[in-house]
Amino acid sequence: MCGIVGYVGSGSALEIVVAGLRRLEYRGYDSAGVALVADGDLWMRKRAGKIDVLEEALSAESPPDSSTGIGHTRWATHGGPTDSNAHPHISADGKVAIIHNGIIENFAELREELTEAGVHLTSETDSEVAAHLVALTLPDTGDDLAEAMRQVSRRLSGAFTLVAVDARRPDRIVGARRNSPLVVGIGDGEAFLASDVAAFIAHTRDAIELGQDQVVELTAGGVEVTDFYGEPVDTKPFTVDWDASAAEKGGYDLFMLKEIAEQPRAVADTMRGRIDRSGQLHLDDSRINDNELREIDKVVVIACGTAYHAGLVAKYAIEHWTRIPVEVELASEFRYRDPIVGRSTLVIAISQSGETMDTLMALRYAREQGARTLAICNTLGSTIPRESDAVLYTYAGPEIAVASTKAFLTQIVAAYLVGLYLAQVRGNMFGDEVRRILDQLADMPSKVDLVLDTVEDVRAIARELAEARAVLFIGRHVGFPVALEGALKLKELAYMHAEGFAAGELKHGPIALLEEGLPVVVVVPSPSSSAMLHDKIVSNIQEVRARGARTIVVAEEGDESVNSVADHIIRVPATPTLMQPLVATVPLQVFSCEMATVRGHDVDQPRNLAKSVTVE
Ligand code: M6R
């Protein structure tokens, strides 16, 4: 939610900041703005709309030369997407510019205080108060921007990343972080601040993740980090393990298409190096020992959206392999229902970004209750893995398209590895049984590759159905979360009514939705791996067809039993049941992407959405 960039050095701040904003546009795209420090003044431009609109406005101007600047791309919370609500916000004296990501929960009382002090606020945002407060605090600090930021941060509640510049101090920018991401990039004679390393990866791969309640002051020569009370803190530098090309489209029209195509590599990378010669699995970072894992009597997966669907898939596998009960819960619901978690509960937080506020809050709640926590995450050094007892990173590489694709497949793989690890240390499975599953997983990149070879057929089906009013998705067992994921993709990309159902549940109500010609996508399990499930779903397809629906059947190669009941067949390679989500999801991603394209939507940046949801 909202992308933030800051730069100080000797380069062109405007160019660097706008290029950074482009890379962060996935985080929010309803307005954008920049502020530069030049000749003792602030130069600021901001516009409602995407960054293109801002760039067009900038091209009609003569911005000053400046090597210190900040920029923001917004996902609106308080106040609609207008020019005046766009960031940066400037203090009443015109000297301090601020950008903000998050929600300042006590902004109403601060606004009132400022109004009573005679300050005229020009936007409806919660963020603007921070600009005025910093400017009003500066004189008491001897014009020390970092100290003013610390004092103001102590007064704010909620979630915020704030970055500020002062027209009188062109040599520095200051950032503060609470419950919202902020990363520092260290270059040669230059430094960067951003919500995500993607913003500065073209300049440096050396980064520092700011911790909770920290303030950072950046100059071209260095970086100083303190807590909100001015105490210096140790920082955790890291090197980003991908380069600028990974965050570009690489010849594809859409990030989503590129990311779909990257799935075989992403799955392979997520497995790589996890298993040593003796067949032992390894996590990235673990402060939970094997004895503690043997004491676990319940697993709770917390996640949102697509990551939640990955958790639902994992439940089938982890319960099957470990015989430990697994609950999968939407993170936004978990902490508000007084869940039963304790020392013997393993809470697995799944998150691509590692910053999703609902998941983070659920994770913190679980920790407070004494649970052991494990993060499955795609973003090195982000908050959720930092606050977990153990981490398994998915090596999907940067996922830029708002619709999650490669993250989903790698989350399933990572969760399966956790399940196998648990089964291994608890003695639920023999070594050869674990290895058999690992071999099946190792086959999946090439099977996903085979699916990618057939996507043209899927696109043709999507084009044929693009005018449909709604689409239903049904599946059984692990095919059920795949159906949910198929429906989510279609909703968020094609803005169509789409629902996923457990196929067996149709007759308990949803079957009433069926009407002549309604497309129903059916995920059919392998007949050889689970004959009973397979036969049941073939009966479900017949029931659907009997009511006039048009059936699009995802079935494995060689399964001829679906020929007579399918209007369209999408073939996927034969896989054991638990592996099927890794192949069956891919055509559904392509289906939604094509539907959205035909319907003229912005696939990478669907309306109302943002990639990283850092508000509750
Ligand atoms: O970064 P996270 O994995 O925590 O994000 C969770 C959801 O917001 C995310 O999966 C969302 O549902 C996707 N846009 C779906 O494609």
Side-chain angles (χ1 to χ4, degrees):
M1 312 258 96
C2 302
I4 280 182
V5 194
Y7 173 77
V8 58
S10 53
S12 159
L14 184 63
E15 269 176 38
I16 291 168
V17 165
V18 172
L21 287 182
R22 281 246 164 257
R23 292 199 190 270
L24 295 187
E25 202 173 13
Y26 72 87
R27 300 181 65 87
Y29 33 82
D30 58 40
S31 54
V34 291
L36 305 172
V37 183
D39 309 323
D41 256 323
L42 291 175
W43 187 90
M44 192 261 289
R45 293 295 180 273
K46 51 187 190 175
R47 289 287 181 277
K50 293 194 173 185
I51 291 169
D52 289 341
V53 179
L54 174 70
E55 281 204 288
E56 207 181 305
L58 292 174
S59 66
E61 307 240 11
S62 312
D65 282 343
S66 167
S67 51
T68 305
I70 57 177
H72 188 269
T73 177
R74 181 170 186 246
W75 186 86
T77 57
H78 294 58
T82 60
D83 286 357
S84 56
N85 288 335
H87 299 216
H89 293 285
I90 307 276
S91 59
D93 64 3
K95 294 298 178 192
V96 173
I98 263 187
I99 49 181
H100 167 228
N101 173 27
I103 293 179
I104 298 172
E105 283 168 2
N106 56 339
F107 87 100
E109 64 194 67
L110 295 169
R111 216 180 151 93
E112 204 175 304
E113 175 188 316
L114 287 164
T115 310
E116 275 168 17
V119 176
H120 173 62
L121 288 106
T122 57
S123 77
E124 303 157 289
T125 65
D126 53 334
S127 316
E128 188 186 349
V129 296
H132 299 297
L133 289 173
V134 169
L136 293 173
T137 310
L138 266 170
D140 298 335
T141 63
D143 289 337
D144 180 339
L145 187 60
E147 178 53 25
M149 182 66 98
R150 283 190 281 270
Q151 291 190 16
V152 170
S153 296
R154 297 204 294 264
R155 297 195 61 200
L156 305 179
S157 55
F160 53 88
T161 295
L162 289 166
V163 174
V165 286
D166 179 345
R168 292 151 297 198
R169 303 300 305 270
D171 59 337
R172 64 200 57 221
I173 53 179
V174 165
R177 171 181 191 261
R178 170 181 284 167
N179 288 335
S180 202
L182 188 59
V183 217
V184 178
I186 310 289
D188 187 9
E190 55 187 4
F192 309 79
L193 268 180
S195 312
D196 176 341
V197 294
F200 54 71
I201 192 74
H203 304 275
T204 180
R205 288 163 75 173
D206 295 328
I208 300 172
E209 177 80 24
L210 281 202
Q212 183 70 339
D213 286 7
Q214 292 182 355
V215 165
V216 60
E217 184 172 41
L218 272 81
T219 60
V223 169
E224 266 181 44
V225 186
T226 67
D227 64 16
F228 280 179
Y229 292 89
E231 288 303 316
V233 291
D234 287 339
T235 56
K236 255 198 179 172
F238 64 97
T239 305
V240 184
D241 60 2
W242 46 271
D243 61 16
S245 63
E248 281 160 9
K249 286 188 191 154
Y252 288 86
D253 291 340
L254 301 168
F255 277 112
M256 186 179 180
L257 289 175
K258 175 184 174 232
E259 287 160 10
I260 289 173
E262 285 173 340
Q263 293 184 109
R265 197 262 318 136
V267 167
D269 285 356
T270 299
M271 291 189 63
R272 186 161 298 132
R274 299 284 184 203
I275 303 125
D276 68 18
R277 281 165 173 271
S278 64
Q280 290 284 312
L281 277 160
H282 296 281
L283 305 180
D284 284 304
D285 184 10
S286 182
R287 290 177 296 281
I288 313 178
N289 64 41
D290 289 354
N291 280 336
E292 291 170 324
L293 286 179
R294 285 184 198 105
E295 285 163 18
I296 297 298
D297 59 15
K298 180 164 78 167
V299 173
V300 179
V301 179
I302 47 172
C304 305
T306 289
Y308 168 71
H309 297 154
L312 289 175
V313 171
K315 172 186 166 78
Y316 291 88
I318 299 175
E319 284 189 340
H320 182 62
W321 293 331
T322 66
R323 310 311 299 153
I324 309 172
V326 179
E327 293 170 13
V328 187
E329 180 117 12
L330 290 167
S332 53
E333 289 296 313
F334 172 77
R335 67 191 278 246
Y336 298 107
R337 70 159 175 94
D338 195 13
I340 302 164
V341 279
R343 200 75 196 123
S344 57
T345 313
L346 177 66
V347 170
I348 304 180
I350 307 183
S351 174
Q352 187 285 130
S353 61
E355 300 292 349
T356 299
M357 187 58 76
D358 290 317
T359 310
L360 177 60
M361 290 303 168
L363 175 77
R364 286 186 181 158
Y365 180 83
R367 283 181 69 97
E368 279 161 27
Q369 306 304 305
R372 283 149 175 138
T373 55
L374 183 149
I376 291 178
C377 184
N378 195 40
T379 311
L380 204 68
S382 55
T383 310
I384 289 171
R386 281 164 66 103
E387 295 195 13
S388 300
D389 299 318
V391 185
L392 198 67
Y393 282 109
T394 51
Y395 289 99
E399 194 181 64
I400 309 286
V402 165
S404 194
T405 52
K406 57 181 179 171
F408 179 66
L409 263 60
T410 56
Q411 285 161 350
I412 294 172
V413 171
Y416 278 14
L417 293 176
V418 172
L420 291 172
Y421 189 80
L422 281 171
Q424 174 182 277
V425 297
R426 296 163 64 93
N428 300 99
M429 285 168 95
F430 294 121
D432 58 340
E433 291 174 297
V434 172
R435 272 192 293 280
R436 187 173 52 80
I437 309 287
L438 289 172
D439 288 345
Q440 291 172 2
L441 276 171
D443 283 344
M444 295 318 293
S446 56
K447 294 195 175 179
V448 177
D449 243 334
L450 290 173
V451 179
L452 292 174
D453 288 343
T454 63
V455 293
E456 273 318 317
D457 300 343
V458 179
R459 286 207 179 98
I461 299 171
R463 286 195 290 272
E464 216 179 304
L465 300 177
E467 296 304 318
R469 226 165 34 85
V471 181
L472 302 187
F473 293 75
I474 61 172
R476 279 177 180 262
H477 195 266
V478 286
F480 168 40
V482 170
L484 294 175
E485 176 60 9
L488 173 62
K489 287 282 100 77
L490 201 61
K491 282 180 233 195
E492 75 179 321
L493 295 175
Y495 315 155
M496 290 171 77
H497 177 231
E499 295 293 338
F501 296 108
E505 190 62 15
L506 264 195
K507 56 189 176 297
H508 298 289
I511 203 161
L513 291 170
L514 298 182
E515 56 187 26
E516 198 61 35
L518 181 86
V520 177
V521 178
V522 190
V523 183
V524 178
S526 162
S528 52
S529 182
S530 43
M532 196 170 66
L533 275 179
H534 175 269
D535 295 352
K536 291 230 178 319
I537 208 152
V538 172
S539 308
N540 296 138
I541 306 176
Q542 270 153 349
E543 290 154 15
V544 164
R545 261 202 133 201
R547 285 154 182 90
R550 190 163 173 178
T551 53
I552 302 102
V553 173
V554 182
E556 76 173 39
E557 293 292 351
D559 178 1
E560 305 305 332
S561 64
V562 297
N563 294 0
S564 59
V565 289
D567 292 302
H568 304 275
I569 303 183
I570 297 172
R571 291 289 178 190
V572 291
T575 55
T577 303
L578 288 172
M579 301 295 147
Q580 205 206 25
L582 298 172
V583 286
T585 309
V586 178
L588 305 190
Q589 298 165 342
V590 174
F591 181 76
S592 297
C593 183
E594 186 67 14
M595 280 267 201
T597 306
V598 174
R599 291 163 74 102
H601 301 317
D602 185 337
V603 171
D604 284 338
Q605 295 177 341
R607 71 183 178 201
N608 303 336
L609 288 168
K611 181 73 181 164
S612 181
V613 185
T614 53
V615 292
E616 269 192 271

